[in-house]
C-alpha cells in the first residue's frame, strides 16, 4: 500500500479562500503592485551603491557622487512609504476577509440541528470561531503577501546579480540548492507539527471550558487534584507539539545563516582576488554582491518563517471550512407561513431516535384540542422532553407526522413555526445581559411597555423591580446573579411576552423556594389560560388542573385521560405513580 503524497500547500483550499477576497479585489491588486515595487526598490540600493563606488570612490572622483547619494536616499524614502502601505493593507485585507468568514460560520452554527451540538464539543467550536479565525487572518496579514514579496525580491535580485557579474552569481547559485532543499524539508515537517499543535489547542480549550462550567461539581466531589493531573497531561501534549516546531526552527535557521555566511565568504575570497589580480570583478561589484547575498538568502529564510504562519492559517482554514461544509440543518422546505395557530395538535404514530437503533419514541399518537392544557407524566427517560423537541422541530422524526391545525409542521416555515410556539425549559438559560434584554432577546417588536405589562399580568413585576436597577439588572453569565426560581420566572415572562399560539412548559419547581414556587404557579395559571399548552408536569397542582393527562413509559403512551378517570383504573400506571409520587406531595401540602 503506497502512502499518499503529502502536499505542503493546499491550492484547492487557497482557491476557496480567494473567493472571499473578491469584494476587496482593488486592495488585493494594489498589494500585488506594492509587492512588485518593493522588490524593485530592494534591489535598487545595492545596484546604486555599485555605481557610486565604481564611478566615484574607486575612480577617486567626486563628480556625480552626491547624485548617487540623493538617489539612494530617495529610493529608501519611497521604499519605507511602500513598506508602510504594504504592511497596513495586508493586515487590513486579512481582518476583513476573516470577518466575512467568521460571520458566515456563526450564521451556519445558528442553524444547526440540536443533534449536532449533542455530539460536538463547545470548546472545539469556540476554537474554530475565535482562535482559528485569527490564524486565517494571518494568511494574508503575515503569510501570503510576505511570501510573494520575498519570492519576487529573490527573482529581481537574481536577475540583477547575473546582469552585474555572472561569475560571482555562479558562486552564490551553487550554494542556493542546499538551502532550497532544506527549506522544502522544513516546510513539510512544520505542517505536520502545526496540525498536531492545532489539535492540542482544541483539546485544551474543550477541557478548560468544560471544567470551568462544571467547577461546582468538581469541588463538590473533591476532584480538583484529579482534574489538575489531567490538565497537566493535556498541557504536556500541547507543549510537545510546540517544542517540535521550535526544534525544526532551531535546525533550519542556523543552517540558513551558515549557507549565507559561506556564500559571502566565497564571494569575498574570489571577488577580492579578482579585484587585485585580474580586474574581472570591480570593487563596486564586490560590495554590491556582499549586499545582494543577504537579500537573496534572507527572503528564502523569511519565506520558511512566513510559511509557518501560512501553514497554521491553512490548517485553521481547513478546520473552519469543515464546520461550514457540515450539513446538519433542519430542512426548511415549508411554504406555509403561520401567522397564528388555533392550537389543535396531533402526534400521529411518531417514531424517533436520537441515536440510530436506539428508539426513544415508539409509535406515539395523541391529540390536543385548541385551548386545552395537556400534562405529560412519566418516569425519567420515558420520552416526555422528546415530545417538546419534536414539536419545535429541533430534531427530525423517523416516521409518522406532527400536525398543527391539520397542517404538517414540515410544511410550515421554520421561523413562523417556532415564533408561534413558546417554550419554557427546565434548564433556564440566561445571557450575560440585562433582564430586559433576556426577556425580549433584542426583538425590536417587543417594547419596554409590552414587557412591563406582561410582567404585571403574570405577577412578577414587583419581583423584578425589587432587584438593583430593576429591568436593567445584569444577571451575568447564565444568570448566576439570580436564584433558580427567579430564572424560571424570567423564562416564563420571556415566553409570555411573545404572545404565542402554543405554549410548552417543562415545569421545574422542585428546587425553588416556596415564594418563587407560588409565583411560578400563578404565572403558569395565567400564561396557560385560553392557550393550547403542553406541560411536562412535576407538581400535582398542574397535573390535576390539566384537561388531559398523557402517561408515558419507555417511549410509549400507556394511558390517557383526566386525573379522575386515570385514578379509577385498577393497577393503572398513573394511579401507581400518583400514590408513589403525587400523593406524598398532596399529604405534605
Amino acid at each position: 500500500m503506497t502512502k499518499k503524497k503529502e502536499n505542503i500547500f493546499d491550492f484547492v483550499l487557497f482557491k476557496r479562500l480567494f473567493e472571499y477576497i473578491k469584494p476587496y479585489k482593488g486592495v488585493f491588486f494594489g498589494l500585488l503592485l506594492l509587492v512588485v515595487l518593493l522588490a524593485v526598490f530592494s534591489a535598487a540600493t545595492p545596484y546604486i551603491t555599485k555605481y557610486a563606488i565604481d564611478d566615484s570612490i574607486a575612480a577617486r572622483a567626486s563628480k556625480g557622487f552626491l547624485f548617487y547619494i540623493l538617489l539612494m536616499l530617495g529610493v529608501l524614502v519611497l521604499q519605507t512609504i511602500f513598506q508602510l502601505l504594504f504592511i497596513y493593507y495586508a493586515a487590513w485585507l486579512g481582518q476583513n476577509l476573516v470577518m466575512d468568514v467568521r460571520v458566515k460560520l456563526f450564521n451556519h452554527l445558528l442553524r444547526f440541528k440540536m443533534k449536532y451540538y449533542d455530539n460536538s464539543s463547545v470548546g472545539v467550536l469556540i476554537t474554530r470561531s475565535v482562535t482559528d479565525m485569527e490564524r486565517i487572518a494571518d494568511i494574508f496579514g503575515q503569510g501570503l503577501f510576505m511570501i510573494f514579496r520575498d519570492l519576487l525580491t529573490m527573482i529581481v535580485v537574481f536577475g540583477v546579480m547575473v546582469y552585474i557579474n555572472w561569475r560571482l552569481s555562479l558562486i552564490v547559485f551553487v550554494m542556493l540548492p542546499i538551502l532550497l532543499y532544506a527549506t522544502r524539508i522544513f516546510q513539510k515537517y512544520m505542517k505536520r507539527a502545526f496540525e498536531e499543535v492545532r489539535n492540542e489547542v482544541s483539546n485544551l480549550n474543550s477541557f478548560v471550558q468544560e471544567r470551568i462550567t462544571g467547577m461546582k461539581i468538581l469541588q463538590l466531589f473533591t476532584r480538583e487534584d484529579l482534574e489538575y493531573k489531567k490538565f497537566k497531561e493535556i498541557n504536556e501534549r500541547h507543549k510537545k507539539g510546540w517544542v517540535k516546531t521550535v526544534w525544526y526552527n532551531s535546525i533550519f535557521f542556523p543552517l540558513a545563516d551558515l549557507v549565507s555566511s559561506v556564500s559571502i565568504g566565497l564571494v569575498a575570497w574570489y571577488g577580492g582576488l579578482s579585484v587585485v589580480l585580474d580586474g574581472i570583478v570591480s570593487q563596486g561589484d564586490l560590495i554590491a554582491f556582499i549586499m545582494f547575498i543577504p537579500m537573496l538568502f534572507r527572503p528564502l529564510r523569511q519565506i520558511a518563517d512566513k510559511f509557518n504562519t501560512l501553514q497554521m492559517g491553512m490548517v485553521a482554514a481547513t478546520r473552519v471550512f469543515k464546520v461550514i461544509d457540515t450539513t446538519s440543518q433542519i430542512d426548511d422546505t415549508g411554504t406555509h407561513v403561520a401567522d397564528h395557530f388555533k392550537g389543535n395538535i396531533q402526534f400521529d404514530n411518531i417514531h424517533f431516535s436520537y441515536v440510530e437503533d436506539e428508539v426513544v419514541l415508539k409509535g406515539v399518537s395523541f391529540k390536543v384540542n385548541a385551548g386545552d392544557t395537556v400534562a405529560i407524566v412519566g418516569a425519567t427517560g420515558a420520552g416526555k422532553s422528546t415530545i417538546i423537541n419534536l414539536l419545535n422541530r429541533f430534531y427530525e422524526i423517523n416516521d409518522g407526522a406532527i400536525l398543527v391545525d391539520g397542517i404538517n409542521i414540515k410544511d410550515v416555515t421554520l421561523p413562523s413555526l417556532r415564533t408561534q410556539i413558546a417554550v419554557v425549559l427546565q434548564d433556564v438559560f440566561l445571557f450575560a445581559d440585562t433582564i430586559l434584554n433576556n426577556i425580549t432577546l433584542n426583538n425590536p417588536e417587543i417594547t419596554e411597555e409590552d414587557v412591563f405589562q406582561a410582567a404585571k399580568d403574570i405577577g412578577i413585576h414587583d419581583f423584578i423591580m425589587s432587584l438593583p436597577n430593576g429591568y436593567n439588572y445584569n444577571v451575568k453569565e447564565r444568570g448566576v446573579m439570580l436564584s433558580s426560581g427567579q430564572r424560571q420566572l424570567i423564562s416564563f415572562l420571556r415566553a409570555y411576552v411573545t404572545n404565542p399560539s402554543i405554549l410548552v412548559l417543562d415545569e421545574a419547581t422542585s428546587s425553588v423556594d416556596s415564594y418563587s414556587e407560588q409565583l411560578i404557579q400563578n404565572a403558569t395559571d395565567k400564561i396557560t389560560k385560553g392557550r393550547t399548552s403542553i406541560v411536562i408536569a412535576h407538581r400535582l397542582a398542574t397535573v390535576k388542573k390539566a384537561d388531559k393527562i398523557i402517561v408515558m413509559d419507555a417511549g410509549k403512551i400507556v394511558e390517557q385521560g383526566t386525573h379522575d378517570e386515570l385514578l379509577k383504573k385498577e393497577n393503572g400506571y398513573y394511579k401507581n405513580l400518583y400514590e408513589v409520587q403525587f400523593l406524598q406531595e398532596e399529604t405534605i401540602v
Side-chain angles (χ1 to χ4, degrees):
M1 183 176 173
T2 58
K3 187 177 179 181
K4 184 179 179 181
K5 185 177 179 181
E6 183 178 13
N7 295 320
I8 61 175
F9 188 83
D10 191 336
F11 287 98
V12 175
L13 179 63
F14 177 73
K15 182 180 179 182
R16 184 170 183 180
L17 277 172
F18 196 81
E19 292 295 317
Y20 290 89
I21 296 179
K22 287 182 178 180
Y24 314 104
K25 58 184 179 182
V27 175
F28 178 78
F29 288 114
L31 284 167
L32 292 182
L33 177 61
L34 287 172
V35 166
V36 174
L37 292 173
L38 284 171
V40 172
F41 277 88
S42 296
T45 302
Y47 189 75
I48 294 170
T49 302
K50 162 190 159 50
Y51 283 101
I53 292 174
D54 289 342
D55 295 349
S56 299
I57 297 176
R60 298 178 182 276
S62 60
K63 184 179 180 180
F65 187 67
L66 181 60
F67 168 75
Y68 288 122
I69 296 300
L70 292 175
L71 183 60
M72 192 179 300
L73 179 62
V75 168
L76 289 173
V77 170
L78 288 174
Q79 187 177 6
T80 301
I81 294 172
F82 292 153
Q83 183 78 357
L84 185 150
L85 293 173
F86 172 75
I87 293 173
Y88 175 80
Y89 280 104
W92 182 91
L93 179 62
Q95 289 300 323
N96 277 275
L97 180 143
V98 82
M99 177 187 70
D100 294 343
V101 178
R102 185 186 283 121
V103 168
K104 182 172 183 178
L105 174 65
F106 188 71
N107 186 51
H108 201 60
L109 290 172
L110 287 173
R111 287 156 177 77
F112 276 154
K113 298 177 184 177
M114 289 300 107
K115 185 176 181 180
Y116 178 85
Y117 294 104
D118 294 340
N119 300 323
S120 299
S121 163
V122 175
V124 169
L125 293 177
I126 291 173
T127 301
R128 301 291 176 267
S129 304
V130 181
T131 309
D132 284 343
M133 286 297 177
E134 292 306 317
R135 300 290 78 79
I136 295 175
D138 290 341
I139 291 177
F140 298 93
Q142 300 178 27
L144 183 66
F145 288 112
M146 300 293 184
I147 292 174
F148 283 169
R149 181 195 63 185
D150 292 339
L151 281 173
L152 194 57
T153 298
M154 290 177 63
I155 293 171
V156 173
V157 168
F158 174 88
V160 175
M161 289 173 72
V162 173
Y163 175 76
I164 292 175
N165 193 303
W166 66 268
R167 291 180 178 84
L168 291 180
S169 299
L170 188 61
I171 296 173
V172 178
F173 299 149
V174 167
M175 302 297 296
L176 196 58
I178 299 174
L179 192 56
L180 287 171
Y181 179 74
T183 301
R184 181 170 180 81
I185 297 299
F186 172 72
Q187 291 168 348
K188 179 180 178 181
Y189 282 94
M190 284 300 286
K191 181 181 180 181
R192 294 177 183 173
F194 280 130
E195 286 176 345
E196 183 177 339
V197 167
R198 297 312 305 159
N199 279 329
E200 295 306 329
V201 166
S202 294
N203 293 337
L204 198 62
N205 285 345
S206 297
F207 185 89
V208 172
Q209 187 272 333
E210 287 183 347
R211 269 58 186 182
I212 290 177
T213 302
M215 188 60 68
K216 183 183 290 186
I217 298 298
L218 297 184
Q219 294 184 359
L220 279 172
F221 290 90
T222 63
R223 309 299 289 173
E224 295 93 336
D225 292 340
L226 179 62
E227 297 301 326
Y228 170 71
K229 290 178 182 178
K230 288 182 179 179
F231 180 77
K232 284 185 68 176
E233 292 173 2
I234 296 175
N235 208 29
E236 179 67 21
R237 293 199 300 269
H238 178 255
K239 183 203 72 175
K240 286 181 178 179
W242 271 112
V243 167
K244 282 184 181 180
T245 68
V246 174
W247 171 243
Y248 298 147
N249 282 322
S250 66
I251 294 175
F252 174 76
F253 290 114
L255 178 63
D257 290 337
L258 176 63
V259 173
S260 178
S261 299
V262 170
S263 299
I264 292 175
L266 290 174
V267 166
W269 170 72
Y270 176 78
L273 289 178
S274 298
V275 169
V276 174
L277 298 178
D278 51 30
I280 296 176
V281 178
S282 69
Q283 294 179 30
D285 291 346
L286 183 58
I287 298 301
F289 265 76
I290 291 175
M291 295 176 68
F292 272 133
I293 288 173
M295 295 178 65
L296 185 66
F297 284 95
R298 190 187 306 117
L300 191 58
R301 183 184 186 277
Q302 289 175 342
I303 286 172
D305 191 23
K306 297 303 179 185
F307 199 85
N308 295 347
T309 302
L310 186 62
Q311 288 287 19
M312 289 187 70
M314 298 300 273
V315 170
T318 300
R319 297 177 183 280
V320 169
F321 284 131
K322 184 177 180 181
V323 178
I324 291 177
D325 291 340
T326 300
T327 53
S328 185
Q329 291 82 5
I330 294 289
D331 293 330
D332 187 11
T333 56
T335 57
H336 179 78
V337 178
D339 294 327
H340 180 75
F341 286 134
K342 292 179 181 178
N344 293 297
I345 301 171
Q346 179 180 355
F347 274 58
D348 185 12
N349 195 30
I350 300 298
H351 291 78
F352 173 76
S353 57
Y354 291 103
V355 181
E356 191 174 356
D357 298 328
E358 295 182 15
V359 181
V360 176
L361 295 185
K362 307 167 185 177
V364 170
S365 298
F366 64 88
K367 292 182 179 181
V368 181
N369 296 323
D372 282 357
T373 295
V374 172
I376 304 177
V377 300
T380 301
K384 304 186 298 296
S385 295
T386 300
I387 288 177
I388 294 176
N389 291 330
L390 297 183
L391 182 60
N392 284 274
R393 291 195 70 196
F394 286 142
Y395 299 86
E396 294 284 30
I397 59 177
N398 299 344
D399 194 17
I402 301 174
L403 309 177
V404 178
D405 292 349
I407 303 171
N408 193 315
I409 61 172
K410 290 186 176 181
D411 297 329
V412 181
T413 61
L414 203 56
S416 68
L417 173 69
R418 292 178 178 171
T419 298
Q420 292 302 314
I421 302 175
V423 180
V424 178
L425 296 173
Q426 180 176 354
D427 183 18
V428 179
F429 186 93
L430 298 181
F431 295 94
D433 206 336
T434 65
I435 288 179
L436 181 63
N437 288 339
N438 268 289
I439 294 168
T440 65
L441 296 177
N442 297 305
N443 185 345
E445 296 180 2
I446 302 175
T447 66
E448 288 189 20
E449 289 72 21
D450 293 334
V451 175
F452 297 160
Q453 186 59 51
K456 291 174 182 177
D457 288 345
I458 65 175
I460 66 172
H461 176 75
D462 292 339
F463 142 67
I464 296 176
M465 292 304 296
S466 69
L467 298 171
N469 298 321
Y471 286 86
N472 292 317
Y473 181 60
N474 193 312
V475 300
K476 305 299 181 182
E477 186 175 2
R478 298 185 66 88
V480 295
M481 302 304 291
L482 302 177
S483 69
S484 59
Q486 290 172 334
R487 290 195 296 270
Q488 195 74 32
L489 288 169
I490 298 301
S491 69
F492 270 83
L493 182 53
R494 181 161 61 190
Y496 181 68
V497 78
T498 62
N499 192 28
S501 303
I502 298 171
L503 185 68
V504 180
L505 301 179
D506 192 348
E507 187 198 20
T509 57
S510 58
S511 61
V512 302
D513 58 85
S514 57
Y515 175 71
S516 295
E517 181 179 348
Q518 185 60 48
L519 288 177
I520 290 173
Q521 190 59 56
N522 292 339
T524 302
D525 294 341
K526 178 66 177 181
I527 199 173
T528 57
K529 186 177 181 181
R531 181 181 284 115
T532 303
S533 304
I534 297 178
V535 183
I536 295 179
H538 298 268
R539 291 292 184 180
L540 178 63
T542 304
V543 176
K544 293 176 70 174
K545 290 179 182 179
D547 297 296
K548 179 192 290 186
I549 299 171
I550 296 175
V551 186
M552 297 192 66
D553 182 43
K556 294 181 179 180
I557 294 177
V558 292
E559 293 175 352
Q560 294 188 59
T562 64
H563 173 71
D564 293 334
E565 290 171 351
L566 294 176
L567 284 182
K568 293 177 181 178
K569 292 186 177 182
E570 283 296 326
N571 297 320
Y573 189 98
Y574 177 79
K575 184 177 182 179
N576 292 332
L577 181 67
Y578 171 76
E579 291 174 349
V580 172
Q581 178 181 340
F582 294 131
L583 190 58
Q584 292 180 1
E585 177 188 332
E586 190 173 41
T587 302
I588 294 172
V589 174

